[in-house]
Amino acid sequence: MNVIIECIYRTPKGVEITFRSDEMQATQALLVAEDLEKIGRAKNVIFIDRFDSSWTIKELKGYLKGIETEPHNVTVYFDGGFERASSSSGLGCVIYYEQSGKSYRLRRNAFATELVSNNEAEYAAFYLSLQELEILGVHHLPVRFIGDSQVVINHLSEEWPVIEKDLSSWADRIEAKMKDLGIQPEYELVPRKANAEADRLATQALNGIEITGTSEMEKY
């Protein structure tokens, strides 16, 4: 989770100003805030997340302690591909997360034959990632979803209306699943080359290569 530090900063000459930091990881923000308190120049320290929720130092410490042994700092890459000649689809997702002080990468793909367009395959890949998050036990956390599908990202972020009936049905399923898991989504649209890993998984699924696995990573 990323947050902004906000506090009243007092200079050595007694001048008080409102200080607002850049966005940073909550663990780093906590260290900075504790250091500011030690030197006695900050008061009314709060942390503000991307959903405008505010936290005191005590509350943020408690929150971070509570999620330490659960998957957190979750980022999802998703991609779907549709092969018109065979009416088949490949779905891929990559999930990065932290748990118990370690970083992990989960990769998963799937082959599908019941979809009818590339946009539907992209939606199905997004839903596949939600199913994996549910299996992981991710709940009541902010999650970043990154993809190269303008349709999916702009639909789910409500930048574009969902007109097509089939896609509307997928959007409803996704929103219901996220509500059930308590996931607070953050969406990011990226160029296809920035989504290469999920794209590769989708292509491998189309070629009959099944990938399922989790590996430990260096801290990212």
Side-chain angles (χ1 to χ4, degrees), residues 32-187:
V32 172
E34 289 177 331
D35 190 57
L36 285 171
E37 282 203 328
K38 282 179 183 177
I39 62 177
R41 292 185 185 167
K43 62 181 182 180
N44 300 337
V45 178
I46 62 170
F47 306 92
I48 302 171
D49 64 23
R50 292 180 180 177
F51 303 95
D52 288 328
S53 297
S54 60
W55 313 67
T56 64
I57 290 180
K58 183 178 179 180
E59 288 169 342
L60 188 58
K61 278 184 176 179
Y63 173 77
L64 294 177
K65 184 66 177 177
I67 67 171
E68 186 178 0
T69 58
E70 298 181 1
H72 57 280
N73 287 346
V74 183
T75 299
V76 174
Y77 291 82
F78 69 95
D79 196 41
F82 178 72
E83 192 175 79
R84 191 173 299 277
S86 62
S87 295
S88 56
S89 303
L91 319 177
C93 68
V94 185
I95 301 173
Y96 291 92
Y97 64 97
E98 295 181 13
Q99 186 172 13
S100 299
K102 297 181 180 180
S103 296
Y104 297 92
R105 179 188 64 177
L106 182 155
R107 297 190 302 154
R108 172 86 160 87
N109 69 359
F111 179 79
T113 57
E114 71 277 10
L115 309 178
V116 298
S117 70
N118 191 74
N119 285 336
E120 196 175 2
E122 294 277 11
Y123 265 106
F126 192 107
Y127 193 78
L128 175 68
S129 73
L130 287 180
Q131 291 176 311
E132 292 302 312
L133 291 177
E134 185 174 25
I135 293 170
L136 269 178
V138 174
H139 62 92
H140 299 92
L141 288 174
V143 176
R144 289 177 66 209
F145 292 94
I146 300 174
D148 57 49
S149 169
Q150 290 191 47
V151 170
V152 173
I153 296 294
N154 286 323
H155 279 177
L156 294 179
S157 63
E158 300 182 348
E159 292 291 328
W160 294 355
V162 186
I163 299 173
E164 299 89 340
K165 185 177 179 180
D166 290 343
L167 301 186
S168 179
S169 176
W170 277 108
D172 289 343
R173 288 176 65 189
I174 286 168
E175 288 174 1
K177 176 66 76 174
M178 287 196 291
K179 184 178 180 180
D180 182 53
L181 296 176
I183 287 175
Q184 303 158 11
E186 304 169 22
Y187 302 107

